[in-house]
Every structure is written in C-alpha cells, then in structure tokens.
Amino acid sequence: MKIVILAIARTGSTSFANSIKNQGYYTLLEPYADSRGKAYKVPPKEVKFYSNFCVKSIITQTRGENLRKEEVIDFNLKLLSKFDKIILLDRRDIVTHAQSLAHIGYLHSLEDEDLHRKYSYQDIPPLLESELYNNAYNILKESKDILKIISDKTQEEIVYYEDIFNKDKVLVKETLSKIFNDNLDIDQMVKDLDVIYKYRVTEKSLI
C-alpha cells in the first residue's frame, strides 16, 4: 500500500509515520521542508518503486517557495494524487495546538533544533509567550482552512490527533482500524503510539 500523511505541524505526524515505518514501509519524512525539497518530485518518484511506501508532509512545506494559498492547495493536491491511502491529520483543540507550535517557535528563537523531545509550555518566558502564541494561532487557522479545503476536494475525512494519541486504547484501535482496514498490524501501532511517548509533559503547578 502507498500511504501519504498530509499533516498540520505538531499533530504527532512523525510518530504516526514512524509507526508505519516500523511495519516495513519505506518512509520519507517531510521531503519538501525547505529548498532542498526541489530534489524531490511531486509526488516523490519513490512512489513508483516501492509497494509499501509512506510519505509524511507538512501542509505548509512547499520546497521553500513562498506560495499563495491557492498554490499551496494545488501543490498538496498534486502530492496526494498517486497514493492508495490519504491521511489528513489535524488537532481538534486549537488552543493546545497553538501552544505546541508556539513552543517550537521558542526553540527556533534559541536556534535549538531538537524539536522531538519532552517539553513543558511553561518553558517559554512570559515576555515571549503572548507573541509566540498569537503567531502560532494565526498560522494554524490558515493551515486548518487549507486542510479543510483539501478534505472537501478529495472527499477524505480529517483524522484527529486526539483519536490517535489517547489513553483510551479502544478508541485508538477503532480509529486506526477505520483508517487502514486492518491492512497493517493495528495492535502494534497502538503500542507504538502510546501516550507515554507524547512530547508535552503535564504543566507544573504554580501553587
């Protein structure tokens, strides 16, 4: 099966893609993240050569090109065109989503590239928090709007982070089974996506 995950940033997409990779899939992670992505075709040529292939892309990553909204939509629709299974990934809770993305903005301001690790939102200094949060919120509103348009155009339902990274293992299994129709080892995926591996830790009490 050829799988494409088109995700909004900070939706657990790397962990999700790696859970597929663990089942013998040749996997590309964010091939269009910057200008080096121009080396990759849209969709990647690897889709022709591997029977079990997965690519994960972030919806705003367009090979470093500054595209208009309509062009971003067209770029991603072209990416999706050669895959058997399309997964559109988002979060329902925009507040915690924006906080997660704001934390990434904070790490970037420190030139810290270790983005896949445990963190607390309280790591952000209070003087920076409001600006970083508002910027992240606005980025997400635009990204979510684009993903909804792509969902409507492709007739693919959006899959939500909260249904995949959840303490309720029954819910997670039902969600994954609906996506993959048992073509993958769902029980193993449930283990790989256990919430103990989530990056965000419970915020410290101020009391």
Side-chain angles (χ1 to χ4, degrees):
M1 184 163 55
K2 302 173 194 296
I3 303 168
V4 57
I5 302 169
L6 181 61
I8 294 176
R10 305 308 283 175
T11 54
S13 57
T14 297
S15 296
F16 192 31
N18 282 333
S19 73
I20 297 171
K21 180 180 179 180
N22 291 344
Q23 302 204 24
Y25 275 69
Y26 182 85
T27 302
L28 283 179
L29 299 178
E30 301 183 22
Y32 310 113
D34 51 38
S35 59
R36 288 173 293 180
K38 292 178 181 177
Y40 288 98
K41 293 183 177 181
V42 185
K45 67 179 186 300
E46 286 85 352
V47 73
K48 300 178 182 178
F49 305 130
Y50 294 91
S51 56
N52 290 337
F53 176 63
C54 176
V55 61
K56 186 269 282 195
S57 188
I58 300 299
I59 200 167
T60 53
Q61 293 179 351
T62 54
R63 300 193 288 200
E65 299 174 2
N66 186 20
L67 303 180
R68 300 191 312 273
K69 181 177 179 178
E70 296 77 12
E71 292 173 321
V72 173
I73 293 169
D74 289 342
F75 180 95
N76 284 295
L77 287 173
K78 185 177 180 181
L79 168 62
L80 303 181
S81 63
K82 300 296 183 182
F83 289 87
D84 306 314
K85 174 60 63 176
I86 297 171
I87 301 168
L88 307 179
L89 188 60
D90 192 6
R91 287 193 188 200
R92 290 191 183 91
D93 185 347
I94 194 172
V95 173
T96 56
H97 198 172
Q99 289 174 344
S100 181
L101 189 60
H103 189 268
I104 290 294
Y106 173 59
L107 293 181
H108 283 318
S109 74
L110 301 177
E111 298 184 353
D112 187 337
E113 297 181 358
D114 185 8
L115 308 181
H116 300 290
R117 67 181 186 198
K118 299 289 185 182
Y119 76 93
S120 168
Y121 186 63
Q122 292 180 349
D123 295 340
I124 302 176
L127 290 176
L128 298 178
E129 188 273 336
S130 179
E131 179 181 355
L132 288 169
Y133 177 86
N134 289 335
N135 183 55
Y137 188 91
N138 290 332
I139 290 171
L140 289 177
K141 282 185 66 178
E142 178 79 356
S143 295
K144 289 171 184 288
D145 185 50
I146 291 173
L147 193 69
K148 178 63 168 59
I149 292 171
I150 291 173
S151 172
D152 290 341
K153 286 181 175 292
T154 60
Q155 295 297 295
E156 294 287 346
E157 292 184 9
I158 295 174
V159 177
Y160 289 98
Y161 166 95
E162 291 88 347
D163 297 335
I164 295 174
F165 298 92
N166 196 300
K167 292 180 180 179
D168 184 347
K169 300 294 180 62
V170 174
L171 171 63
V172 176
K173 186 170 182 177
E174 288 177 350
T175 301
L176 295 174
S177 295
K178 183 178 178 181
I179 295 170
F180 296 111
N181 298 317
D182 295 324
N183 288 313
L184 298 180
D185 184 340
I186 301 300
D187 289 331
Q188 184 59 51
M189 291 189 76
V190 172
K191 293 177 183 177
D192 290 343
L193 299 170
D194 195 296
V195 292
I196 63 172
Y197 302 121
K198 290 173 68 173
Y199 296 144
R200 185 167 181 172
V201 298
T202 303
E203 315 302 342
K204 300 172 185 175
S205 172
L206 298 178
I207 300 175

